[in-house]
Amino acid sequence: MSRKFFVGGNWKMNGDKKSLGELIQTLNAGKVDPNVEVVCGAPSIYLDFVRSKLDPKFGVAAQNCYKVPKGAFTGEISPAMIKDCGVNWVILGHSERRHVFGESDELIGQKTAHALESGLGVIACIGEKLDEREGGITEKVVFSQTKFIADNVKDWSKVVLAYEPVWAIGTGKTASPQQAQEVHEKLREWLKSNVSEAVANSVRIIYGGSVTGGTCKELASQKDVDGFLVGGASLKPEFIEIINAKA
């Protein structure tokens, strides 16, 4: 079955109205493959600004949210607030949330459940650190992280799984196309055994970790790589090249 190619841009804590405005102009004017779903992850303070300026053919994502609709949670934002800005996606479980801010698998699962119940699409991130890959426990780590997410998902049509080996994020190291394909294939097998064959066949598993204009085409040609979650390169004009990796 054909899965629609999905390219997410994670802008992280970067940009201001001037630079993001220029990036948005570049994206709006760019020739992009109409068969690709594109979603840009903006800093929460700019969600409204980005959604109002970016061509409607592009989706917008928040980079995080909390697990309840409202309350005394200073500094957090809720799925309801994200939707109120006209934004329909959220990135959850990114390695920086896990390893810089100490978010647990359990919390990420709770956030996923609440975001989906609130009608947001979720880009759910999983991935192993360098010592875990070198220790030969990549599968154990990513399956465990995936289970906490899967236990909180009722409707998989709103979920995109992003496999991001932590050792390849912002380091300039990219998992080889073969390494990426191997993990994606194993993840699909895990979904088949633990969720259902239909979900395993339909859910999009995208790759993140130093994806560039130079590496995207070969990665995109792998059978189980259904797109990308792009960090640094999503702030540059080459993001259009990455969106068009399959064209």
Side-chain angles (χ1 to χ4, degrees), residues 5-246:
F5 206 70
F6 185 102
V7 177
N10 180 7
W11 297 349
K12 306 191 181 182
M13 196 178 76
N14 290 300
D16 51 28
K17 284 186 177 176
K18 182 175 182 294
S19 65
L20 295 179
E22 287 163 2
L23 176 63
I24 288 166
Q25 280 182 322
T26 302
L27 289 172
N28 288 349
K31 280 197 165 55
V32 296
D33 184 343
N35 301 312
V36 178
E37 186 168 4
V38 181
V39 174
C40 296
S44 58
I45 198 165
Y46 295 131
L47 285 172
D48 228 338
F49 170 78
V50 172
R51 183 62 287 172
S52 67
K53 303 278 186 205
L54 196 60
D55 188 299
K57 69 174 180 260
F58 299 112
V60 178
Q63 296 174 11
N64 189 27
C65 69
Y66 200 49
K67 62 181 181 179
V68 294
K70 60 180 182 186
F73 302 102
T74 302
E76 291 290 338
I77 61 170
S78 69
M81 292 169 176
I82 293 166
K83 287 191 73 178
D84 196 36
C85 291
V87 171
N88 296 319
W89 286 91
V90 64
I91 301 169
L92 292 174
H94 191 278
S95 70
E96 288 148 10
R97 298 304 316 171
R98 293 176 186 272
H99 303 304
V100 180
F101 299 102
E103 292 189 6
S104 65
D105 288 341
E106 186 180 21
L107 176 61
I108 292 158
Q110 291 165 340
K111 288 180 174 194
T112 300
H114 180 58
L116 290 169
E117 281 158 15
S118 305
L120 288 179
V122 173
I123 301 166
C125 303
I126 52 178
E128 82 285 10
K129 295 188 291 199
L130 185 60
D131 59 337
E132 292 165 338
R133 174 163 280 265
E134 287 174 344
I137 57 168
T138 292
E139 283 173 47
K140 183 179 169 213
V141 171
V142 296
F143 291 169
S144 166
Q145 291 171 344
T146 306
K147 181 171 178 5
F148 275 95
I149 291 160
D151 287 348
N152 286 284
V153 175
K154 295 187 181 80
D155 177 8
W156 280 90
S157 69
K158 305 279 290 220
V159 178
V160 172
L161 268 186
Y163 167 61
E164 295 202 301
V166 181
W167 47 272
I169 298 174
T171 58
K173 289 180 184 169
T174 313
S176 68
Q178 295 70 33
Q179 283 174 317
Q181 167 58 23
E182 188 185 350
V183 177
H184 285 225
E185 189 177 358
K186 297 255 171 65
L187 277 166
R188 222 175 278 291
E189 284 167 14
W190 186 92
L191 288 166
K192 188 173 170 180
S193 305
N194 294 275
V195 182
S196 75
E197 187 166 4
V199 165
N201 289 334
S202 64
V203 79
R204 291 173 291 183
I205 306 175
I206 64 176
Y207 171 76
S210 301
V211 176
T212 64
T215 58
C216 64
K217 276 208 173 336
E218 200 186 345
L219 282 162
S221 70
Q222 304 300 311
K223 184 166 86 74
D224 289 293
V225 175
D226 303 315
F228 307 116
L229 186 56
V230 185
S234 69
L235 291 156
K236 300 174 187 162
E238 75 179 291
F239 187 49
I240 291 170
E241 220 177 303
I242 297 169
I243 294 168
N244 296 331
K246 291 284 257 196

